Amino acid sequence: MSDNLKSKVITQGVQRSPNRAMLRAVGFQDGDFDKAIVGIANAYSTITPCNMGINELAQRAETAVKTAGAMPQIFGTITISDGISMGTEGMKYSLVSREVIADSIETVCTGQSLDGVLAIGGCDKNMPGAMLAMARMNIPAIFVYGGTIKPGHYKGEDLTVVSSFEAVGQYSAGKIDETELLAVERLACPGAGSCGGMFTANTMSSSFEAMGMSLPYSSTMAAEDPEKADSTAQSAVVLVEAIRKQILPRQIITRKSIENAISVIMAVGGSTNAVLHFLAIARAAGVELTLDDFETIRGRVPVLCDLKPSGKYVATDLHKAGGIPQVMKMLLAHDLIHGDCLTISGQTVAEVLADVPAEPRTDQDVIRPWNNPMYPQGHLAILKGNLATEGAVAKITGVKKPVITGPARVFESEESCLEAILSKKIIAGDVIIIRNEGPKGGPGMREMLAPTSAIIGAGLGDSVGLITDGRFSGGTYGMVVGHVAPEAAVGGNIALVEEGDSITIDANARLLQVNVSDAELARRRANWQPLPPRYTKGVLAKFAKLVSSSSVGAVTDLDLFA
């Protein structure tokens, strides 16, 4: 039991009786009051397949905590489905939900003086939301991933949720008929679990394992397989021991362990969203991290895994091939991760990986051998220039033409852009600008999966660029640049671009620019006026008022009293 709660229920008889009475009502008995109280943050819901299997995992964790000699207390936290809300006004709540999740976990754990927390999450924002809370509170904590979905199958191909978005583009381009479109929709998501490629959920689960806040192999397990529940129970046992030893998140979430996480993200070809989330996590943990650090790590870490969205395989294939420990051991063998980092088990990374071979098995090709990577350098590039003076993020692997200069096609929202693509008003060579979709301007920094998938489906993925101050789904690929900062809503130069301006995306030079003179930009700025807030009350209005730039993680508690 925490010192704080002990003082309430033990020290003074006048306080002891009512507090103990409340705890007895939820299952405490005479011998339980000196035991550690472990919160189980349960993100179960039937809103999304990512989270529909989590309640059984929470119950398994509850039993394991009791068996390990502690007292569990389950509480709920929220989720929304990015995939279901994608392309709608509801998607504005996705990034907002990260903050709500973090705040809710912090509120319960601190408000109830809990000794530790095991958080179980599935959909994209459950993971960074939980990790933000863990870093803030700094009580013993472990993250349990709800598990990945198994792939759907159609005509001999693995399907993911992104397949259905791309099928819409194919249908609008006349490449498939309605029968085939419906077949893909019906088969893409066969059951419980988070989106199956190396999209945002699997990226974040993999990086948390690499960082030491989740158990080995747990990040790539399928939601519906028995080993997922077994791993959850083991996570509970490890957490109870961490409480006894007082192994704290800020001992684990360090500069070195975050570098390990970013290195793994590069090696597996992970989501652009990881950049935003790790900037936020680092800040919560008191670790200095900038966009430039991602570029530094990108330059030295190869892409080792052939995974969707731009590759062939899904997360369950990676699991069978050796999972994240295999990838980490390869990086460790080449001095690209820090083996001395502490993990939640009390072991170092090197100790955890001691029995893992330095090269992957030869009977699989999901994880490439060191001398034959998918790409010699990482895929998440940080671009800068007069269109993004603070920086922007691009996923550059799998792009056939890493340099494009073309006329700007300017849209003030995702919906207007998607309509133009589906109406065949976008042609090869165009550079799409979607603005006022940033953290403040959206608000909420929506993901642009619908327009990017429509571009791919229309066969324009290698010939059309797309730039936005919004985000991208982990399922996005192509010549796309997001997280443009400063965003349009605060007067970033993306707000000054006019239809037909020459725009250059140069992934090789990490350059993003509008090809007009400084004098012309100054003239336009003098005439620029910010748009009125789209929301004046409620959670989106609060988020818009508090949120920081994407270049520092789009957090809502940045220097509130500076």
Side-chain angles (χ1 to χ4, degrees), residues 253-542:
I253 307 172
T254 64
R255 170 70 187 214
K256 283 184 175 182
S257 74
I258 290 175
E259 288 181 355
N260 286 355
I262 296 170
S263 294
V264 167
I265 290 164
M266 296 295 177
V268 300
S271 166
T272 54
N273 282 311
V275 177
L276 191 76
H277 297 324
F278 268 97
L279 288 168
I281 291 164
R283 185 168 294 276
V287 174
E288 189 172 322
L289 187 73
T290 69
L291 281 173
D292 292 336
D293 294 318
F294 288 85
E295 183 61 32
T296 299
I297 294 172
R298 184 194 75 81
R300 64 188 185 224
V301 177
V303 179
L304 297 172
C305 299
D306 186 5
L307 295 167
K308 291 180 181 294
S310 59
K312 180 179 180 182
Y313 295 104
V314 295
T316 50
D317 297 316
L318 174 60
H319 189 63
K320 294 171 187 174
I324 296 304
Q326 180 62 78
V327 175
M328 291 181 70
K329 186 58 175 279
M330 296 171 71
L331 296 173
L332 180 64
H334 292 83
D335 297 321
L336 290 174
I337 62 173
H338 305 283
D340 59 344
C341 288
L342 180 68
T343 71
I344 187 60
S345 69
Q347 296 175 291
T348 65
V349 166
E351 289 169 341
V352 169
L353 301 176
D355 296 329
V356 179
E359 281 291 311
R361 301 195 317 270
T362 57
D363 64 346
Q364 59 80 44
D365 60 351
V366 183
I367 307 172
R368 296 286 193 92
W370 188 262
N371 61 4
N372 185 31
M374 291 290 294
Y375 305 97
Q377 292 182 316
H379 63 302
L380 298 181
I382 305 303
L383 277 54
K384 293 186 177 181
N386 66 0
L387 258 185
T389 55
E390 293 177 12
V393 183
K395 187 186 289 186
I396 63 174
T397 50
V399 177
K400 293 180 181 179
K401 297 178 180 178
V403 181
I404 183 172
T405 295
R409 303 297 309 279
V410 181
F411 301 93
E412 303 296 342
S413 70
E414 176 186 9
E415 288 87 351
S416 58
C417 174
L418 180 61
E419 181 182 357
I421 297 167
L422 297 180
S423 300
K424 301 180 182 179
K425 296 177 181 177
I426 301 298
I427 62 173
D430 285 345
V431 179
I432 295 169
I433 303 284
I434 306 177
R435 64 191 180 196
N436 291 302
E437 289 284 7
K440 285 186 178 294
M445 207 178 177
R446 286 193 291 182
E447 294 178 352
M448 304 290 119
L449 180 59
T452 57
S453 296
I455 289 169
I456 296 292
L460 297 171
D462 295 317
S463 59
V464 168
L466 191 152
I467 299 168
T468 181
D469 51 9
R471 296 182 295 127
F472 292 117
S473 163
T476 295
Y477 61 102
M479 182 55 98
V480 296
V481 185
H483 305 203
V484 169
E487 62 174 292
V490 299
N493 284 345
I494 189 172
L496 309 180
V497 176
E498 295 181 356
E499 185 82 8
D501 281 349
S502 172
I503 304 290
T504 294
I505 306 172
D506 188 336
N508 295 330
R510 268 79 70 198
L511 177 67
L512 185 68
Q513 70 180 25
V514 53
N515 299 309
V516 300
S517 68
D518 291 344
E520 174 60 16
L521 287 177
R523 184 192 67 78
R524 295 180 187 180
R525 179 169 299 284
N527 296 321
W528 176 80
Q529 292 290 330
L531 297 175
R534 287 173 167 162
Y535 299 84
T536 57
K537 60 183 179 179
V539 66
L540 290 180
K542 287 189 285 187

Side-chain angles (χ1 to χ4, degrees), residues 70-270:
M71 291 301 293
Q73 291 192 310
I74 297 178
F75 63 92
T77 185
I78 63 141
T79 194
I80 67 165
S81 170
D82 289 10
I84 295 172
S85 65
M86 196 73 69
T88 73
E89 194 80 355
M91 187 62 200
K92 293 181 178 181
Y93 289 84
S94 171
L95 185 59
V96 175
S97 76
R98 183 189 75 177
E99 306 304 298
V100 175
I101 292 164
D103 291 350
S104 67
I105 294 174
E106 178 189 355
T107 298
V108 173
C109 291
T110 306
Q112 297 301 121
S113 303
L114 302 184
D115 295 287
V117 62
L118 181 150
I120 312 175
C123 204
D124 295 3
K125 306 310 174 296
N126 299 168
M127 284 165 274
M131 200 58 59
L132 284 173
M134 292 171 181
R136 289 179 195 169
M137 298 183 300
N138 203 34
I139 61 173
I142 193 167
F143 184 81
V144 173
Y145 183 36
T148 186
I149 197 171
K150 294 181 179 181
H153 302 284
Y154 182 64
K155 291 187 174 181
E157 297 288 331
D158 283 348
L159 298 180
T160 69
V161 66
V162 175
S163 306
S164 62
F165 283 91
E166 292 178 0
V168 172
Q170 293 170 329
Y171 174 73
S172 68
K175 296 184 177 183
I176 61 173
D177 60 20
E178 188 173 354
T179 300
E180 193 160 5
L181 174 64
L182 186 58
V184 172
E185 175 200 310
R186 286 171 170 165
L187 298 171
C189 298
S194 299
C195 300
M198 192 48 68
F199 310 151
T200 302
N202 285 324
T203 298
M204 298 311 296
S205 69
S206 298
S207 61
F208 288 178
E209 180 181 327
M211 193 166 59
M213 290 295 290
S214 296
L215 294 190
Y217 299 102
S218 66
S219 66
T220 50
M221 293 175 177
E224 297 179 323
D225 285 351
E227 66 175 347
K228 174 73 322 193
D230 292 341
S231 176
T232 302
Q234 182 59 29
S235 297
V237 173
V238 167
L239 176 60
V240 172
E241 186 61 23
I243 293 171
R244 293 191 180 110
K245 294 179 178 178
Q246 282 299 286
I247 300 174
L248 304 178
R250 291 194 186 185
Q251 295 173 295
I252 299 169
I253 307 172
T254 64
R255 170 70 187 214
K256 283 184 175 182
S257 74
I258 290 175
E259 288 181 355
N260 286 355
I262 296 170
S263 294
V264 167
I265 290 164
M266 296 295 177
V268 300

